């Protein structure tokens, strides 16, 4: 990867350094927010950008900056830049996120990334980190912290605001992903136990993955079933695995797992957090036979 340092040493030491990496692309995803409303990246295609602020209830940075987030949101709203927060912390859940939202009232939806798979997809490792996405070509325009203010004679950073300005001016097409390193306080660190476990030891097809498929998918995806293909061999499942990842990340499969209208429907199926992680981590590893 070609990395280009382009800030002075002083700024680099104080506020993280900016680098450009070849434009990162991501697959589509769909998360529900704290009220149960679905947010799918591709459905933000009417906007120029979607800004995702990683949030955790414990994170001091989110608490200190929520007023600043609002200022940016108000400023860029007319330029077709949407702002959301996303909670990927294993210590929080929708109920605790709703309570946090009521006390800080950031006035933006908080997407619940309970499987942590969207944080993994976007390369988010800590709360306070911000990812700016182009929903039209599914690329990451920016990943890093909120800009640091100028203080006591030290110049602050404007990497994020520069990105917003470039988006508003339609100057980001084909641009490299801007990545800004930063240190986050202890209260904002995120843990990814499932990711670490499956990186050490890829889920086993026969004993871990097949039971998940049987439980969640094979009822329909069987010879003569209503699903368009049968998950009846490793070869078949491996061949379909990129498509399986897409339908799981966008909550299309198992069917009816997201539509709030149908949430109380008797046949509503949802796949557990653990099953979802097992399947996606296995697919990310290339869907191996063993
Ligand atoms: C209730 C029955 C049912 C269950 C359970 C189910 N599917 Fe499906 N699946 C279907 C039907 C019907 C279609 C074709 C219509 C559609 O694409 O919505 C389909 C289509 C698909 C497709 C093709 C999508 C495309 O765009 O061509 C994939 C991949 C898929 N399912 C994966 C899964 C996975 C993975 C699971 C388990 C997590 C699962 N399905 C569970 C019924 C089901």
């Amino acid at each position: 990867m070609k990395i280009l340092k382009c800030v002075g040493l002083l700024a680099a030491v104080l506020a993280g350094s900016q680098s450009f990496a070849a434009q990162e692309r991501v697959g589509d995803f769909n998360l529900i927010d704290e009220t149960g409303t679905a947010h799918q990246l591709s459905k933000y295609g009417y906007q120029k950008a979607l800004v995702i602020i990683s949030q955790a209830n414990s994170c001091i940075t989110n608490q200190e900056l929520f007023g600043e987030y609002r200022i940016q949101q108000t400023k860029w709203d007319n330029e077709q830049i949407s702002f959301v927060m996303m909670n990927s912390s294993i210590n929080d859940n929708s109920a605790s996120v709703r309570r946090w939202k009521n006390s800080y009232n950031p006035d933006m939806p908080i997407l619940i990334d309970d499987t942590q798979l969207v944080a993994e997809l976007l390369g988010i490792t800590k709360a306070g980190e911000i990812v700016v996405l182009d929903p039209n070509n599914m690329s990451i325009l920016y990943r890093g912290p909120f800009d640091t203010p100028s203080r006591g004679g030290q110049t602050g950073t404007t990497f994020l605001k520069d990105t917003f300005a470039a988006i508003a001016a339609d100057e980001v097409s084909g641009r490299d992903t801007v990545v800004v390193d930063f240190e986050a306080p202890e209260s904002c660190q995120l843990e990814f136990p499932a990711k670490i476990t499956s990186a050490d030891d890829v889920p086993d097809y026969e004993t871990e993955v097949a039971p998940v498929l049987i439980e969640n998918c094979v009822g329909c995806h069987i010879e003569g079933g209503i699903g368009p293909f049968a998950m009846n061999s490793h070869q078949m499942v491996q061949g379909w695995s990129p498509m399986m990842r897409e339908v799981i990340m966008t909550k299309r499969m198992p069917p009816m797992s997201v539509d709030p209208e149908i949430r109380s429907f008797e046949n509503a199926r949802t796949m557990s957090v653990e099953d979802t992680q097992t399947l996606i981590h296995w697919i990310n590893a290339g869907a191996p036979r063993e």
Side-chain angles (χ1 to χ4, degrees):
M1 202 188 310
K2 194 184 66 173
I3 291 190
L4 211 114
K5 297 274 180 233
C6 73
V7 281
L9 186 62
L10 185 66
V13 170
L14 292 173
S17 57
Q18 181 189 34
S19 60
F20 293 96
Q23 188 182 66
E24 291 178 40
R25 295 288 180 111
V26 295
D28 200 8
F29 59 84
N30 186 352
L31 291 175
I32 55 170
D33 67 21
E34 84 292 351
T35 67
T37 303
H39 297 262
Q40 185 163 348
L41 176 60
S42 57
K43 297 206 171 138
Y44 278 90
Y46 66 99
Q47 292 289 70
K48 288 182 178 174
L50 177 65
V51 180
I52 299 185
I53 301 168
S54 176
Q55 179 271 343
N57 288 3
S58 63
C59 176
I60 182 89
T61 308
N62 293 140
Q63 295 165 21
E64 286 170 354
L65 288 177
F66 81 96
E68 298 289 334
Y69 299 152
R70 283 287 287 135
I71 291 171
Q72 293 304 315
Q73 182 186 33
T74 309
K75 177 164 181 196
W76 300 105
D77 191 44
N78 293 333
E79 301 289 347
Q80 293 169 266
I81 301 178
S82 287
F83 285 70
V84 300
M85 292 183 143
M86 177 174 84
N87 186 300
S88 308
S89 169
I90 53 168
N91 301 315
D92 299 329
N93 55 41
S94 332
S96 68
V97 167
R98 275 196 296 277
R99 284 196 296 277
W100 186 92
K101 194 174 172 186
N102 287 338
S103 39
Y104 290 95
N105 194 19
D107 204 22
M108 34 184 115
I110 305 181
L111 281 45
I112 309 295
D113 181 27
D114 53 357
T115 63
Q116 303 187 301
L117 291 168
V118 176
E120 288 181 33
L121 178 75
L122 301 179
I124 288 173
T125 57
K126 43 212 166 195
E129 196 159 13
I130 297 175
V131 167
V132 182
L133 291 156
D134 180 339
N136 293 291
N137 68 0
M138 305 275 178
S139 64
I140 299 183
L141 301 172
Y142 175 90
R143 179 172 54 242
F146 195 80
D147 292 330
T148 48
S150 303
R151 213 181 261 140
Q154 287 162 6
T155 335
T157 60
T158 57
F159 303 128
L160 181 62
K161 283 165 203 157
D162 292 348
T163 300
F164 292 152
I167 293 166
D170 292 320
E171 282 166 2
V172 288
S173 126
R175 195 179 81 158
D176 288 351
T177 300
V178 173
V179 179
V180 181
D181 294 333
F182 71 111
E183 299 283 333
E186 184 67 29
S187 67
C188 303
Q189 301 295 338
L190 296 175
E191 288 169 64
F192 291 88
K195 176 179 152 190
I196 290 168
T197 308
S198 64
D200 290 348
D201 194 3
V202 174
D204 178 59
Y205 176 66
E206 213 157 287
T207 60
E208 294 172 83
V209 175
V212 170
L213 297 175
I214 291 167
E215 165 93 22
N216 297 284
C217 319
V218 172
C220 301
H221 290 273
I222 192 169
E223 299 291 352
I226 64 165
F229 65 101
M231 298 183 189
N232 53 10
S233 68
H234 170 262
Q235 207 187 357
M236 195 70 173
V237 173
Q238 190 181 45
W240 278 90
S241 61
M243 189 67 111
M244 287 168 55
R245 175 170 52 203
E246 185 183 322
V247 296
I248 292 167
M249 293 299 284
T250 55
K251 296 202 200 302
R252 262 182 64 204
M253 291 285 147
M256 298 175 199
S257 57
V258 71
D259 192 337
E261 304 271 320
I262 311 181
R263 246 192 305 171
S264 59
F265 198 70
E266 264 182 49
N267 291 334
R269 295 154 217 263
T270 43
M271 191 156 51
S272 72
V273 165
E274 292 74 22
D275 284 0
T276 309
Q277 290 168 329
T278 300
L279 211 46
I280 298 296
H281 286 147
W282 177 72
I283 294 171
N284 287 347
R289 176 76 184 88
E290 46 202 329

